[in-house]
Amino acid sequence: MTTLKREEILLLFDVDGTLTVPRSTVTPDFEEFMYKEVKPRATIGIVGGSDLEKMFEQLNGHKILENFDFVFPENGLVQIDKGQEVGKQNIIKHLGEETIQRFINFVLRYLSELILPFKRGTFLEFRNGMMNICPIGRQCSREERNIFAEYDKEHQVRSKMIEVLKKEFGDVDLTYSIGGQISFDVFPKGWDKTYSLRYIEANYKFKEIHFFGDKTEPGGNDYEIFIDPRTISHKVASPNDTKRILKEILGLN
């Protein structure tokens, strides 16, 4: 149990699978626990692989900008401090249009030849600091999402595609990270979730930074921040896990 003051301890959370069940919305009782019991005792922040709009969807709207001290969409490549956007990275400027198009063209060719149980729409989504690639298409239903997740466990569709991309684009400083059930992220090296720590370290002096995440194995989108020496990390399997560990850390009943 910590004895640190609120301004001395930061609790940083992944969203999907940590604060919510994958691709679902946060439950009212968990939300109440976070805002009424956790926030008075610690500084709180979220760092997700998805963009801000998807964070709004999962965490019940714009109020997260008021309720969380820090909001870090896209691995922290967008930085929001106390509700105000204070910084943003841009993958197009970093890689250049020629490289971006070469990569996108290759991805679309590869996906066009991939045989899966089904395909829907939006196979590549462009964000400020990354590209998100979804072999079945992000417009699938929840049932289709679950079917693909099981199919991918057996056939390693995402892992195999990543190995092909690593070989084809070995000359480009890209990292590949599997998160969630159906997609994976692609971004420049170092633009993983540890990017959020750059902003925190440059502007704040916390005595402890705790990170909570579920995709903590190598290749998962929580891995780099999970093993970072600047964080005290906690692997969770569900929001219930997160709640249990928070109660232990903060000495809550």
Side-chain angles (χ1 to χ4, degrees), residues 8 39 56 84 100 133 135 157 202 215:
E8 294 175 326
K39 188 178 179 182
F56 288 156
Q84 299 299 314
I100 290 281
I133 295 166
V157 175
K215 293 287 189 297

Side-chain angles (χ1 to χ4, degrees), residues 104-126:
I104 290 173
N105 289 346
F106 184 89
V107 165
L108 294 178
R109 271 198 304 274
Y110 182 94
L111 291 176
S112 73
E113 295 170 4
L114 202 58
I115 305 299
L116 297 173
F118 44 81
K119 286 183 182 176
R120 297 300 174 250
T122 312
F123 301 99
L124 191 146
E125 191 173 87
F126 216 87

Side-chain angles (χ1 to χ4, degrees), residues 14 16-17 22-23 49-50 75 127 132-134 138 145 148 152 158 162 176-187 193 214-217 219-222:
D14 165 54
D16 211 42
R23 295 313 302 160
S50 60
N75 287 352
R127 300 171 185 170
N132 178 268
I133 295 166
C134 183
R138 297 196 69 89
R145 170 186 291 274
F148 176 78
D152 190 49
R158 292 180 291 177
I162 286 170
Y176 304 85
S177 181
I178 292 174
Q181 293 179 295
I182 59 171
S183 66
F184 62 93
D185 295 328
V186 184
F187 45 85
K193 287 185 178 178
D214 65 323
K215 293 287 189 297
T216 59
E217 64 288 338
N221 70 348
D222 296 323

Side-chain angles (χ1 to χ4, degrees), residues 48-52 72-78 127-130 191:
S50 60
D51 59 26
L52 187 58
F72 295 118
E74 301 184 39
N75 287 352
L77 296 163
V78 179
R127 300 171 185 170
N128 288 300
M130 68 177 76
W191 287 24

Side-chain angles (χ1 to χ4, degrees), residues 106-240:
F106 184 89
V107 165
L108 294 178
R109 271 198 304 274
Y110 182 94
L111 291 176
S112 73
E113 295 170 4
L114 202 58
I115 305 299
L116 297 173
F118 44 81
K119 286 183 182 176
R120 297 300 174 250
T122 312
F123 301 99
L124 191 146
E125 191 173 87
F126 216 87
R127 300 171 185 170
N128 288 300
M130 68 177 76
M131 289 172 278
N132 178 268
I133 295 166
C134 183
I136 61 161
R138 297 196 69 89
Q139 292 173 331
C140 58
S141 68
R142 181 171 299 284
E143 184 185 359
E144 289 165 342
R145 170 186 291 274
N146 293 335
I147 292 168
F148 176 78
E150 289 305 311
Y151 183 86
D152 190 49
K153 276 181 194 170
E154 182 182 348
H155 298 280
Q156 300 294 303
V157 175
R158 292 180 291 177
S159 296
K160 287 175 183 173
M161 185 174 180
I162 286 170
E163 289 310 307
V164 171
L165 290 171
K166 281 181 178 175
K167 190 173 176 184
E168 181 70 22
F169 293 92
D171 60 319
V172 186
D173 72 330
L174 292 173
T175 298
Y176 304 85
S177 181
I178 292 174
Q181 293 179 295
I182 59 171
S183 66
F184 62 93
D185 295 328
V186 184
F187 45 85
K189 283 178 183 158
W191 287 24
D192 50 66
K193 287 185 178 178
T194 61
Y195 204 91
S196 62
L197 300 178
R198 296 190 200 185
Y199 176 78
I200 291 162
E201 278 203 319
N203 297 281
Y204 294 89
K205 297 283 182 263
F206 291 106
K207 289 187 177 176
E208 287 182 9
I209 300 174
H210 291 253
F211 172 73
F212 297 75
D214 65 323
K215 293 287 189 297
T216 59
E217 64 288 338
N221 70 348
D222 296 323
Y223 176 70
E224 290 84 2
I225 193 169
F226 183 78
I227 63 165
D228 194 286
R230 293 169 289 183
T231 63
I232 300 166
S233 292
H234 309 275
K235 180 175 177 59
V236 300
S238 67
N240 286 338

